[in-house]
Amino acid sequence: MPILFLDFDGVLHPEHCHESKHFCCLPVLEDALRQAPEWQVVISSTWRLQKSLAGR
């Protein structure tokens, strides 16, 4: 099973960008993953230190 380790900054949006630009590249990743449904994604971002998954 292929695994993608993903850090948000610099991948799904430019690093240190304004909050309004967060996840601006997400559609590109979504399209790629739809073509490869066997891939698993592991979030390896420092956001885990500041953001909560509660309520998501």
Side-chain angles (χ1 to χ4, degrees):
M1 157 188 2
I3 300 173
L4 171 66
F5 287 85
L6 177 66
D7 187 339
F8 299 137
D9 291 325
V11 177
L12 297 182
H13 52 259
E15 190 172 13
H16 307 298
C17 69
H18 186 270
E19 201 170 300
S20 67
K21 300 274 187 197
H22 284 180
F23 303 103
C24 64
C25 298
L26 182 58
V28 175
L29 177 63
E30 289 174 331
D31 289 343
L33 291 174
R34 281 191 187 99
Q35 296 177 40
E38 69 280 5
W39 280 73
Q40 300 292 311
V41 179
V42 175
I43 305 300
S44 59
S45 176
T46 56
W47 282 34
R48 73 187 185 282
L49 304 173
Q50 302 163 343
K51 308 287 184 185
S52 170
L53 290 176
R56 307 254 187 239

